[in-house]
Amino acid sequence: MNRQDIWDLVRRALLLDDDAFEEIRAEDSFTALSLGAAAGAVFLAGIGAWLFGLVVLDGTPDGWFVDTVFLGSFFTLALFAAGAAITYLLMTRVFQIDDVPVDEFARVILFTHAPYGLGLFVFLPEIGFTIGMLSIVAVFFYSVYGLGVAFRGESRLGVAVSVLAGLVFWLLVITLISGPGSNYATGVFVFSLID
C-alpha cells in the first residue's frame, strides 16, 4: 500500500466511512500504521504540554521537556494500552461479543486514538482547553464508532460501555500522575499543573 492509499484510508476513516474501519480491522499490514497513529498522537500531545509550559505557565521546572514529551508520552501510551485491554476484556467477557481477535481489535482501537493528537494545540490561549477536551471526546467517539463498525452486528451499547470503561480508567490514572510536582501530563491534562 502506497502513501496515497494510506492518506486516503485516514481521510475516509475521519469521515466515518464504514469500509475504512473494516479495512483497518482486516489488513495485517495496518498494525504498524495503527500503532504509529496512536504513538504519534501521544507524542504530539506531549509537545503541546511542553509548549503550554513555555507559553502559559510562569515558569517550568528543570527537566520539563523530558517530563512532558518523553516520560508523559510513555505513561500516556501505556495507559492507552491498559484502557484498550479493559475495553477488550469487557467486550469479550462481560458483553459476550464473539469473534473479536486481539490483533484486529488492537488495530482498530489504536487507530481510533489518533485524535488525541489534537492535544498539540492545548498551548493556545483561550481555546487550548476546549481543543484538549475535544481530543478526548473524539477518541471516545471514534473508538465506539470504529469498533462498532469493524465488528458488525455486535451490541453497540456493549461496545460503548466497554470503550467508556477503558477511557475512564486511563483518564483517572493520568490525572493521578499529572499534577503539581508530577509533570507527566500530555494534552489537556497539562491544565492540572496550574496552581
Side-chain angles (χ1 to χ4, degrees):
M1 177 170 272
N2 63 37
R3 190 174 295 150
Q4 184 58 40
D5 291 338
I6 292 171
W7 283 116
D8 183 56
L9 176 73
V10 170
R11 181 189 59 77
R12 289 187 298 122
L14 288 174
L15 295 173
L16 304 176
D17 180 353
D18 292 1
D19 293 338
F21 290 104
E22 290 175 0
E23 287 177 43
I24 292 166
R25 176 190 58 79
E27 187 61 47
D28 288 340
S29 63
F30 290 141
T31 303
L33 172 70
S34 294
L35 182 58
V42 170
F43 187 73
L44 287 174
I47 290 181
W50 173 68
L51 290 171
F52 179 87
L54 299 178
V55 173
V56 176
L57 297 179
D58 291 333
T60 58
D62 290 337
W64 176 256
F65 182 78
V66 171
D67 286 352
T68 55
V69 176
F70 292 107
L71 294 176
S73 295
F74 172 77
F75 289 134
T76 303
L77 200 54
L79 290 171
F80 275 7
I86 289 168
T87 301
Y88 181 79
L89 289 173
L90 286 174
M91 281 177 62
T92 57
R93 305 285 189 246
V94 175
F95 293 103
Q96 307 284 317
I97 299 174
D98 297 326
D99 195 28
V100 183
V102 174
D103 60 331
E104 294 177 7
F105 170 83
R107 277 193 290 276
V108 174
I109 199 153
L110 285 171
F111 186 83
T112 60
H113 277 57
Y116 191 70
L118 290 172
L120 171 67
F121 301 106
V122 295
F123 72 94
L124 296 174
E126 311 299 330
I127 62 169
F129 182 76
T130 303
I131 294 172
M133 291 303 292
L134 286 174
S135 72
I136 293 171
V137 170
V139 167
F140 173 74
F141 174 77
Y142 278 102
S143 294
V144 170
Y145 188 86
L147 289 171
V149 167
F151 302 102
R152 286 192 187 272
E154 306 302 346
S155 165
R156 289 284 176 125
L157 179 61
V159 170
V161 170
S162 300
V163 168
L164 182 62
L167 193 68
V168 165
F169 171 79
W170 70 258
L171 289 173
L172 287 174
V173 175
I174 205 166
T175 56
L176 295 175
I177 66 168
S178 59
S182 301
N183 306 316
Y184 308 125
T186 59
V188 72
F189 299 102
V190 77
F191 283 88
S192 67
L193 301 178
I194 297 175
D195 287 330

